[in-house]
Amino acid sequence: MSQRMQGGVPMIVMDEEAQRMKDRDAQEHNISAARAVAESVRSTLGPKGMDKMLVDSMGDVTITNDGVTILQEMDIDNPTAEMIIEVAETQEDEAGDGTTTAVAIAGELLGNAQELLDQDIHPSAIIKGFHMASEEARQQVDEVAIEVDPGDEEILRKVAETSMTGKGADVNKEFLADLIVEGVRRVTVEDNVDLEFLKIETQTGRSAEQSELLQGAVIDKDPNHEEMPTDVEDARVLLIDEPIEVEEANVDTEVAVSDPQQIRQFVDKEEREIKEKVRKIKGSGANVVFCQKGIDDLAQHYFAREGILAVRRFKKSDLEFLTEVLGARIVSDLDGLTEDDLGRGSVRRDEDEQLFYVEGADEDAHGVTLLLRGSTDHVVDELERGVSDALDVVASTIADGRVLPGGGAIEVELASRLRNYADGISGREQMAVQQFADALELVPRVLAENAGLDSIDTLVDLRAAHEDGDARAGLNVFSGDVVDTFDAGVVEPAHSKRQALASATEAANLVLKIDDIIAAGDLGDEDEEPGGPGGMGGMGGMGGMGGMGGAM
Ligand code: ADP
Ligand code: MG
């Protein structure tokens, strides 16, 4: 396919094989593809949501409940479906939590839009109505939001616990919430949270309640030589991003040797070079060396002899984190090395002899590490996803200072307020605003459904409570009762909900705007069932869904 201009009008020239779908067909095709993706994560929503096991093409297994992880691992190759995945990714970047909610709402918006299209309502009226509703809903979030004191650790712990409920982190959520809140507090200066200074490290082999929060960094590495010290109380640490080896040029040089004497000389020269490097390091006063690249055997030997602890092959990001922890500079060139480049602190080995704990001595040294432990890799990975969501929501609550009642309470309240708002709007947009309101109620419906409760009864009860003016009435998924979820400690940051509303609407509208699909290849689904709820049928064309690996 190519584009040409003819008399100022763009003209699309199609390949012979190209396929084209227009108007209603195009919309239906896209809506069903997008909905299918949204459907695929619905069953994971909420504390009682199920996990998914994803198997990638290499046979690696991920077991998770995390919306964005599921969608990314699914490796979907369909342009419309990808728009929905972007919703999850935007939500993850901007809020850190609420990815399943955002995607589920986007899917439901499109489902409801389909109903309007079936009634011959023009997409542009739907788009306009959705846009109005989204703006209004976000304004109403501001009205309903409960202001909290960012220093109120009780509420922060509740926000963290809500986000971990039903995840791998659930079992130890109270214990972990304490670590999370304390960790965030340590990287907060005057309500400015900098999560860059809080690093998560994971370690398998012990249970989650043996996780710990440590001042400084944790390094999962071994010393380079068994005769090196492993505990250095008064550490002066060199961080270096160049190898401590013979200069590369020399290694690759072919040397034509005619007699053993020449080999000897050559080796001597290399030895001198290494010795010289170690001498410079020693001369600066360093007694610990953390190197991003390699350290060759001879250098290791000299370091050990000098009583210097040397560790090699650090990740660049770890070295950068250590500059904060130790107040050090990363050195590339040993020639200019001085004592000022070194960081000060202490290095100690853990009981299991697997990790180094590095703590800074400087007053203004910062950086803390949350060391998460779990029995196996799968457990630790899912723990990490849960904890990192919780860190984000705590940080976001401190920054924004506003929370909302969870368990579907906010969604039902917004839906009710949107219906009032719709009463004041005329025409087709009114119907779109009403459909938008209905779409928000997907959240309590699915929370109930996933908990094995009757979703219609639940919604009826919730609506009644909100009619009576109880704006915080939500679902207790464990008892099935309607409760004041704020009082029950089920709280979410307002920022995250605003973001979910914005990105879900944007994606739905993006999909609705398309009235023409021109595909270079086969569009596929001529004689297939359209992808209704739960079905992937409509996704056959335009690349289809590649690489699902039979995982779902
Ligand atoms: P997301 O990816 O959208 O964060 P989750 O699976 O984490 O999806 O579920 C979040 C939803 O679960 C929110 O609507 C939240 O209010 C709700 N939720 C969390 N804890 C509870 C609880 N104890 N009772 C009821 N709902 C809860
Ligand atoms: Mg969540």
Side-chain angles (χ1 to χ4, degrees):
M1 175 179 42
S2 63
Q3 275 228 0
R4 283 189 211 146
M5 299 290 279
Q6 193 171 41
V9 180
M11 187 174 81
I12 297 164
V13 182
M14 316 243 296
D15 294 340
E16 257 171 62
E17 322 235 303
Q19 296 265 328
R20 188 158 189 183
M21 237 188 227
K22 278 184 71 84
D23 303 325
R24 287 287 285 275
D25 285 345
Q27 273 140 7
E28 260 172 45
H29 176 93
N30 282 337
I31 288 173
S32 62
R35 284 182 73 194
V37 176
E39 294 283 343
S40 69
V41 293
R42 256 172 67 158
S43 67
T44 69
L45 184 76
K48 296 275 197 152
M50 302 298 281
D51 294 349
K52 288 202 187 285
M53 179 193 262
L54 303 151
V55 187
D56 72 11
S57 50
M58 303 292 289
D60 285 334
V61 175
T62 306
I63 298 169
T64 186
N65 180 290
D66 185 50
V68 71
T69 307
I70 294 166
L71 294 173
Q72 283 169 340
E73 293 282 324
M74 268 164 58
D75 193 15
I76 292 165
D77 178 20
N78 172 296
T80 329
E82 276 169 18
M83 291 185 198
I84 300 299
I85 297 171
E86 276 171 25
V87 175
E89 288 173 342
T90 312
Q91 182 70 18
E92 176 74 7
D93 290 347
E94 301 291 323
D97 194 13
T99 54
T100 314
T101 304
V103 167
I105 291 178
E108 193 68 3
L109 283 173
L110 285 167
N112 293 0
Q114 182 68 56
E115 282 181 26
L116 296 174
L117 291 172
D118 290 345
Q119 296 168 43
D120 278 332
I121 294 179
H122 196 270
S124 62
I126 306 175
I127 291 169
K128 178 145 182 254
F130 279 1
H131 181 73
M132 289 163 69
S134 169
E135 296 264 305
E136 177 67 16
R138 277 175 288 155
Q139 233 163 40
Q140 294 301 330
V141 164
D142 296 342
E143 300 263 315
V144 183
I146 302 152
E147 296 210 3
V148 294
D149 172 9
D152 182 349
E153 299 199 351
E154 190 55 36
I155 197 86
L156 297 179
R157 271 196 291 273
K158 285 178 180 165
V159 170
E161 282 177 32
T162 300
S163 140
M164 288 187 285
T165 308
K167 313 274 160 191
D170 194 342
V171 201
N172 304 103
K173 69 176 173 189
E174 276 135 41
F175 166 72
L176 290 170
D178 280 342
L179 294 187
I180 287 164
V181 170
E182 172 61 13
V184 174
R185 199 190 58 75
R186 287 204 211 164
V187 296
T188 304
V189 183
E190 289 165 12
D191 293 350
N192 282 318
V193 189
D194 199 339
L195 286 182
E196 293 269 298
F197 295 140
L198 193 158
K199 203 153 183 293
I200 299 183
E201 287 287 340
T202 57
Q203 175 84 1
T204 53
R206 284 202 248 163
S207 62
E209 67 261 30
Q210 277 167 309
S211 299
E212 39 188 335
L213 180 70
L214 298 149
Q215 193 65 38
V218 171
I219 295 154
D220 187 0
K221 284 193 174 296
D222 296 323
N224 275 172
H225 196 284
E226 55 188 22
E227 270 152 47
M228 286 176 176
T230 54
D231 291 76
V232 185
E233 196 49 50
D234 180 22
R236 290 174 301 276
V237 186
L238 168 66
L239 306 177
I240 179 165
D241 63 1
E242 283 294 312
I244 305 175
E245 292 167 344
V246 181
E247 302 286 331
E248 286 234 348
N250 294 354
V251 177
D252 294 332
T253 313
E254 261 184 56
V255 211
V257 279
S258 46
D259 66 286
Q261 186 59 30
Q262 264 178 310
I263 300 180
R264 185 72 240 155
Q265 276 174 358
F266 184 68
V267 172
D268 282 351
K269 182 172 170 299
E270 291 198 338
E271 244 185 74
R272 274 202 308 280
E273 250 178 58
I274 294 286
K275 240 186 183 156
E276 180 59 17
K277 289 190 179 187
V278 174
R279 197 190 58 75
K280 279 179 192 154
I281 290 169
K282 167 103 181 146
S284 72
N287 52 10
V288 177
V289 177
F290 291 152
C291 180
Q292 191 182 324
K293 306 271 174 60
I295 300 178
D296 89 12
D297 292 352
L298 195 58
Q300 289 169 28
H301 167 78
Y302 286 134
F303 280 134
R305 211 170 64 185
E306 299 289 350
I308 294 174
L309 166 63
V311 184
R312 66 184 159 176
R313 304 218 183 281
F314 275 70
K315 270 191 269 166
K316 190 178 170 62
S317 58
D318 287 347
L319 221 52
E320 278 161 3
F321 186 63
L322 282 166
T323 63
E324 299 294 341
V325 169
L326 293 162
R329 262 195 290 261
I330 295 176
V331 172
S332 304
D333 180 11
L334 288 176
D335 284 335
L337 178 66
T338 71
E339 205 182 337
D340 290 343
D341 298 318
L342 307 178
R344 289 177 170 276
S346 65
V347 176
R348 97 198 134 75
R349 197 77 172 142
D350 77 321
E351 295 156 26
D352 302 342
E353 307 224 327
Q354 285 186 342
L355 308 168
F356 285 111
Y357 295 149
V358 182
E359 204 173 311
D362 219 354
E363 285 270 307
D364 52 24
H366 33 273
V368 293
T369 300
L370 190 49
L371 178 61
L372 298 176
R373 300 183 188 270
S375 51
T376 68
D377 282 336
H378 289 153
V379 171
V380 186
D381 288 351
E382 184 65 352
L383 188 64
E384 179 175 3
R385 285 188 281 270
V387 166
S388 97
D389 283 6
L391 282 168
D392 286 330
V393 291
V394 169
S396 147
T397 306
I398 293 177
D400 182 47
R402 297 177 312 158
V403 297
L404 298 168
I410 179 64
E411 286 83 2
V412 177
E413 182 62 21
L414 290 178
S416 143
R417 288 171 179 238
L418 281 177
R419 290 194 188 101
N420 285 340
Y421 168 70
D423 289 344
I425 303 169
S426 59
R428 323 231 130 172
E429 285 80 12
Q430 182 187 52
M431 294 170 81
V433 174
Q434 281 160 347
Q435 289 290 1
F436 191 105
D438 291 352
L440 294 183
E441 287 176 340
L442 173 84
V443 173
R445 274 197 283 122
V446 173
L447 286 175
E449 212 170 277
N450 290 348
L453 301 164
D454 186 304
S455 58
I456 297 175
D457 286 351
T458 303
L459 192 55
V460 169
D461 292 349
L462 284 172
R463 278 184 182 170
H466 284 259
E467 298 275 286
D468 286 348
D470 189 355
R472 300 172 184 182
L475 175 66
N476 177 339
V477 290
F478 300 102
S479 66
D481 298 330
V482 169
V483 297
D484 182 321
T485 46
F486 180 78
D487 285 349
V490 180
V491 278
E492 305 176 52
H495 167 74
S496 165
K497 199 65 74 183
R498 284 182 117 264
Q499 180 62 46
L501 290 167
S503 42
T505 312
E506 222 168 273
N509 280 350
L510 212 56
V511 173
L512 289 172
K513 251 191 207 127
I514 301 165
D515 73 343
D516 195 358
I517 308 171
I518 305 149
D522 184 12
L523 269 170
D525 57 2
E526 293 293 89
D527 41 27
E528 281 171 44
E529 286 282 296
M536 295 290 183
M539 310 190 57
M542 308 203 73
M545 298 195 44
M548 296 264 298
M552 303 298 297

